[in-house]
Amino acid sequence: MNADALNTTATKIRDHIAAACESDAIPGFVAGIHQGGEQVVVAHGLANVATGAPMLEHTGFLLGSVTKVLTTTLVLQQVDRGVLDLDAPVVKYLPEFGSVSGKILVRHLIGHTNGIDADLYFPGDKGRDALKAYVEGMPSSTLFEPGEQLSYSNGGMIVAGRLLEVVTGLPYPELLARDVYGPVGMTDSSTSAEQAILRSTAVGHFLDLETMAPRPTTMFTLPETWGPAGGTPIGTIADLLAFGRTHLAGGVSPSGTRVLSAGSTALMRQVSFDMESPNTPPIGLGWVLYPFGGTTVLAMSGASPGGVSLLCVIPEHDLVFAAYGNSPGAIMLQDRILQLILTEHLGIELPRLVTGDEQDADLAPYAGTYRSNQLRIEVSVVDGQLEEVITYEPADPSQERIFTEFAGGTTSAPPQRYVPVGPGLFAPAGYPLEAFDGYLRLLLVSYHDVRDGQARFRNGGGRLARRA
């Protein structure tokens, strides 16, 4: 790898970050690339607007759902050791899980094909038994039969975390530190606010609608029950790059430590389910497999209260990209930077994902009410478009408090119009179609499994809701 080429790309990224932080009210941003033995990290802005602490190259941040790839790595370590069987029912190891579904296999948990309807289930339990309490109290309803569909699943990863605790005898945070942080060389990673406060750490921000300025979040982490899904782990760009390099190298860390077998590392990259819809990339185990033309990007993004992280591994080009911004809008900047890396740095031509609209589409099959955990989505046909109204229906005051803090105080949104752009596929009105060529394809909405003139499922952001 030519170091000059990487430094040139880093300069372009730095300019993009500076401009976006100014125009999009992102307090701070940090990003890094590793390719061919060369590594650059750039940082800009503030880690916390209340204190004025700068965002530094080594500033820590919440990994969010990027943790799911770490949890998957932990599960496959136990498969490598013969402790877990991917094709065994979860109840073989967790008998109490049978109240949800005895048909869910271990691979369904880490492949997002489990159907568990608990995506917004936020119990506030703490301590060693937090995950045990989560599994004991989680909703028993499912969205679909295991393996039938694909729906991004926080609940599945949390159950996988509890499964790991049972078979190893260690609490999830201790297991993560021992079997991933340590051997990978994630030297600045931790799993608690108490540890993070001892070093430079960013906090999330939300836009204050009165002052139109960023304000720090009132919630640093999600509850400890959400640890395996990304609620509590904290790390740095260098840590994420080291983890990505481990997967580039077939499971061998930068220091030469074998973290995962080559077979299991490869298995995580293999397609385990494909919805065959532009807004939902194929899934491996842990990794989402984004197709960009003929190039596959292994990716996972992670929302935290007022922040968003991203980890991308591009095996074909021996490249790892990681980024974090402490505002929910940072995902837009991350998407632009990823496309810059793909097109200008790697010379990849990105085909148009959505090519046009469906002028004569029959919208009647998609109208109706769809539900998932604590969400109701009303879909109606208005002026040749679909209009969606999403309502949050908290199960209890505790759930409402946690979700409200996680969302920055805003739990409702105005009706959103969608225009048809393909069979069963819709784009938010007013967006140019090229906006969906990159990571933001997740903004598209699709409908699936039409029976007797009605779609059974709505898919938004990779999450399914079932027709009521």
Side-chain angles (χ1 to χ4, degrees):
M1 172 63 199
N2 188 324
D4 291 338
L6 193 61
N7 287 328
T8 298
T9 298
T11 299
K12 293 179 182 179
I13 292 173
R14 185 178 285 107
D15 291 342
H16 271 268
I17 293 172
C21 286
E22 179 67 26
S23 63
D24 299 338
I26 302 171
F29 196 91
V30 59
I33 303 175
H34 188 280
Q35 186 183 27
E38 302 289 340
Q39 182 164 304
V40 292
V41 180
V42 299
H44 179 87
L46 299 176
N48 187 332
V49 300
T51 64
M55 184 75 83
L56 304 172
E57 294 177 3
H58 62 271
T59 294
F61 50 85
L62 282 157
L63 304 185
S65 287
V66 172
T67 305
K68 290 179 171 68
V69 193
L70 279 63
T71 299
T72 301
T73 299
L74 287 170
V75 170
L76 289 175
Q77 285 176 342
Q78 297 305 316
V79 172
D80 286 342
R81 295 164 187 166
V83 176
L84 288 176
D85 179 353
L86 283 177
D87 293 310
V90 175
V91 294
K92 174 181 177 181
Y93 309 100
L94 283 178
E96 63 270 30
F97 186 67
S99 61
V100 178
S101 174
K103 299 178 182 178
I104 295 177
L105 308 180
V106 173
R107 70 166 61 247
H108 292 146
L109 297 178
I110 55 177
H112 299 278
T113 53
N114 49 76
I116 295 170
D117 189 16
D119 218 43
L120 295 179
Y121 174 51
F122 289 112
D125 299 84
K126 299 180 179 180
R128 188 180 183 96
D129 291 331
L131 303 189
K132 182 175 184 288
Y134 181 99
V135 173
E136 290 175 348
M138 68 186 300
S140 59
S141 60
T142 54
L143 290 167
F144 50 81
E145 286 294 303
E148 178 189 72
Q149 300 283 352
L150 169 65
S151 184
Y152 187 87
S153 177
N154 289 306
M157 285 293 173
I158 297 169
V159 173
R162 175 57 185 157
L163 182 64
L164 287 165
E165 290 187 333
V166 170
V167 300
T168 66
L170 286 178
Y172 177 83
E174 292 183 21
L175 184 66
L176 181 64
R178 187 193 75 178
D179 287 358
V180 173
Y181 289 168
V184 168
M186 301 172 70
T187 56
D188 292 316
S189 289
S190 61
T191 52
S192 73
E194 288 82 359
Q195 294 168 306
I197 201 172
L198 300 177
R199 61 182 319 282
S200 174
T201 304
V203 302
H205 296 76
F206 295 97
L207 189 66
D208 189 310
L209 298 181
E210 292 185 3
T211 65
M212 298 308 292
R215 60 168 177 79
T217 176
T218 57
M219 169 192 282
F220 178 54
T221 70
L222 282 168
E224 291 178 22
T225 50
W226 268 54
T232 56
I234 301 152
T236 64
I237 290 295
D239 290 338
L240 285 186
L241 293 176
F243 181 81
R245 291 171 62 192
T246 299
H247 277 265
L248 271 183
V252 177
S253 76
S255 68
T257 302
R258 169 65 67 182
V259 177
L260 191 63
S261 72
S264 288
T265 306
L267 184 62
M268 289 177 65
R269 304 180 186 181
Q270 294 177 12
V271 175
S272 62
F273 202 96
D274 187 355
M275 292 285 283
E276 298 183 346
S277 182
N279 64 324
T280 305
I283 196 84
L285 294 180
W287 293 115
V288 181
L289 313 178
Y290 279 81
F292 287 93
T295 299
T296 297
V297 176
L298 316 178
M300 182 58 71
S301 65
S304 53
V308 61
S309 64
L310 179 64
L311 175 63
C312 298
V313 175
I314 311 177
E316 182 182 340
H317 294 276
D318 192 31
L319 187 144
V320 183
F321 166 58
Y324 170 81
N326 54 2
S327 164
I331 188 66
M332 310 286 279
L333 175 56
Q334 290 169 354
D335 182 52
R336 292 197 295 271
I337 294 174
L338 175 58
Q339 292 195 57
L340 182 154
I341 292 170
L342 291 169
T343 58
E344 298 185 27
H345 182 69
L346 298 178
I348 297 169
E349 183 175 349
L350 303 186
R352 183 58 42 83
L353 190 69
V354 178
T355 56
D357 58 7
E358 298 278 301
Q359 297 292 340
D360 300 319
D362 178 13
L363 305 186
Y366 315 118
T369 300
Y370 299 81
R371 289 184 179 274
S372 61
N373 181 249
Q374 302 180 63
L375 285 181
R376 186 179 78 248
I377 305 166
E378 301 284 354
V379 182
S380 57
V381 179
V382 181
D383 299 329
Q385 301 176 347
L386 289 186
E387 181 174 272
E388 293 190 349
V389 178
I390 300 178
T391 304
Y392 173 56
E393 299 177 327
D396 56 57
S398 174
Q399 300 282 293
E400 182 175 21
R401 176 185 59 79
I402 293 171
F403 179 76
T404 300
E405 289 190 73
F406 176 51
T410 302
T411 59
S412 62
Q416 174 68 56
R417 292 282 188 93
Y418 289 85
V419 297
V421 293
L425 183 67
F426 296 82
Y431 279 70
L433 295 184
E434 60 268 21
F436 310 112
D437 291 345
Y439 205 82
L440 295 185
R441 65 190 71 186
L442 292 177
L443 295 178
L444 299 168
V445 168
S446 59
Y447 292 83
H448 302 269
D449 197 2
V450 178
R451 301 182 186 181
D452 300 323
Q454 291 187 328
R456 288 181 66 208
F457 297 103
R458 172 198 179 270
N459 182 345
R463 291 173 166 87
L464 292 188
R466 186 176 57 196
R467 181 179 290 274

